[in-house]
Amino acid sequence: MGAATQPFLLRKGRNRLIPDTNSKYQQQLPAKSHELVNDAIRFPRVLVIGPDGNQLGVMSSRDAQMKANDLGLDLYCVAPNAETPVCKILDYSKYRYEQKRKERESRKNQKTVEIKEIQLTPQISLHDLEIKARAASRFLEEGNRVRARVMFRGRQLTHIEVGEETLNKFIELVSENGELEKPAVLDGKWLNATIVPKKKKQGGKVDAKDEE
């Protein structure tokens, strides 16, 4: 490995590694405080795995470090709590670089589930109810939860059953994409219900449990 690609060089006359400023991984953060790398590894005996994945056997930490130094690489403890701690010889800066990249990609691919609120009235027209149901269906298809809220005004609270009918009709309209998480709850002048995305069956097949 040439000086242009390896992240560490062994300084002549000293048994330690110094950063190679030509390394493309040099911008990486230092080792995490809980990770054991190079001189921080002080177990009497460790099982060493080479850079190719093959076991090099059990040896002292010092001998393992010397093997890593000879290869211009680092000694990284991958299993410090094992009966015989396991260490791997690798390019630690490159390893950290790849870990950070994977973490960034994982965060990018994670979808944030939101709760979308849909407000209804007890005597909403069927046309308006269908429009709100279509909007809720889109939210559910995107993996979000929907909180449907029926608001009662004045004497409407004496006829809660009208609002319940409206809410039930709304839930029926979105039933292809969502299902009621739990029974609706009356909170003051609001009748609230949370609808969650319906789990899609793989391959269009119905589970045996669903058929029962």
Side-chain angles (χ1 to χ4, degrees):
M1 183 181 296
T5 56
Q6 72 182 43
F8 291 97
L9 296 176
L10 185 63
R11 177 175 289 174
K12 186 176 180 180
R14 296 188 182 183
N15 186 25
R16 69 184 184 89
L17 299 176
I18 62 172
D20 175 8
T21 55
N22 292 323
S23 172
K24 66 178 180 179
Y25 304 109
Q26 185 56 38
Q27 60 183 342
Q28 277 309 104
L29 297 173
K32 296 180 181 178
S33 59
H34 62 277
E35 292 187 334
L36 299 178
V37 186
N38 294 329
D39 293 342
I41 301 173
R42 298 178 181 178
F43 298 108
R45 309 285 286 176
V46 294
L47 172 61
V48 180
I49 299 175
D52 56 0
N54 293 325
Q55 290 190 14
L56 303 182
V58 177
M59 62 189 75
S60 68
S61 295
R62 178 181 174 81
D63 288 343
Q65 182 67 69
M66 290 179 66
K67 282 187 176 292
N69 291 351
D70 290 342
L71 294 172
L73 296 172
D74 304 293
L75 186 67
Y76 174 52
C77 190
V78 296
N81 296 322
E83 185 174 348
T84 300
V86 180
C87 295
K88 188 170 184 179
I89 295 175
L90 46 68
D91 182 334
Y92 184 73
S93 286
K94 183 176 180 179
Y95 167 79
R96 289 278 284 125
Y97 176 88
E98 291 297 326
Q99 290 297 107
K100 286 290 182 182
R101 183 181 61 80
K102 289 178 181 178
E103 288 173 8
R104 286 195 301 270
E105 289 179 354
S106 178
R107 286 195 297 269
K108 189 191 308 181
N109 294 330
Q110 284 179 349
K111 177 174 176 57
T112 302
V113 176
E114 299 179 17
I115 298 180
K116 303 290 189 177
E117 189 170 295
I118 300 290
Q119 292 189 11
L120 311 170
T121 58
Q123 297 176 333
I124 187 174
S125 69
L126 179 58
H127 175 70
D128 290 343
L129 187 65
E130 289 175 341
I131 291 175
K132 288 180 178 289
R134 285 196 291 271
S137 293
R138 287 196 300 271
F139 295 147
L140 293 165
E141 286 178 347
E142 293 168 358
N144 297 306
R145 299 154 70 93
V146 172
R147 179 182 292 125
R149 310 188 75 195
V150 180
M151 184 179 69
F152 299 95
R153 293 179 183 276
R155 293 184 179 181
Q156 289 178 341
L157 279 169
T158 61
H159 296 284
I160 294 175
E161 67 279 1
V162 177
E164 290 176 338
E165 290 175 8
T166 297
L167 184 58
N168 290 335
K169 180 62 176 177
F170 177 82
I171 294 170
E172 181 184 341
L173 289 171
V174 302
S175 60
E176 185 177 342
N177 300 301
E179 55 193 2
L180 195 61
E181 183 179 43
K182 57 185 178 181
V185 176
L186 182 64
D187 182 13
K189 63 179 181 179
W190 296 93
L191 181 63
N192 302 312
T194 301
I195 303 168
V196 296
K198 182 176 287 185
K199 293 181 180 179
K200 296 181 180 179
K201 299 177 177 60
Q202 295 182 352
K205 295 182 179 179
V206 179
D207 240 12
K209 292 182 180 179
D210 295 329
E211 293 179 341
E212 293 177 358

